[in-house]
Amino acid sequence: MNFSSFRKLDYILFYAIIAGLFIAQLFELSLTVVIGILIVAAIPALILGTITNLIFK
């Protein structure tokens, strides 16, 4: 599976958008919650990135 730079950027953008949406919903910011969100946000970013990678192959 060869990823072009556009596809890598796709994964990074989805990760940033999903993590940003989760963090924006917080009432209190704490370091442990933000780190947890950053870890959990990787899952939907990988799913969405893979779907777009398959669509725009």
Side-chain angles (χ1 to χ4, degrees):
M1 203 176 216
N2 189 8
F3 295 108
S4 67
S5 62
F6 175 73
R7 294 294 153 226
K8 290 178 191 172
L9 181 62
D10 225 12
Y11 286 102
I12 294 169
L13 286 174
F14 278 128
Y15 180 76
I17 291 169
I18 292 167
L21 287 174
F22 285 149
I23 291 172
Q25 294 178 13
L26 293 176
F27 291 114
E28 291 182 17
L29 275 178
S30 70
L31 184 61
T32 56
V33 173
V34 172
I35 290 173
I37 287 174
L38 292 177
I39 292 170
V40 171
I43 297 167
L46 287 173
I47 293 169
L48 291 173
T50 303
I51 290 170
T52 58
N53 197 8
L54 293 173
I55 291 173
F56 298 110
K57 203 170 196 179

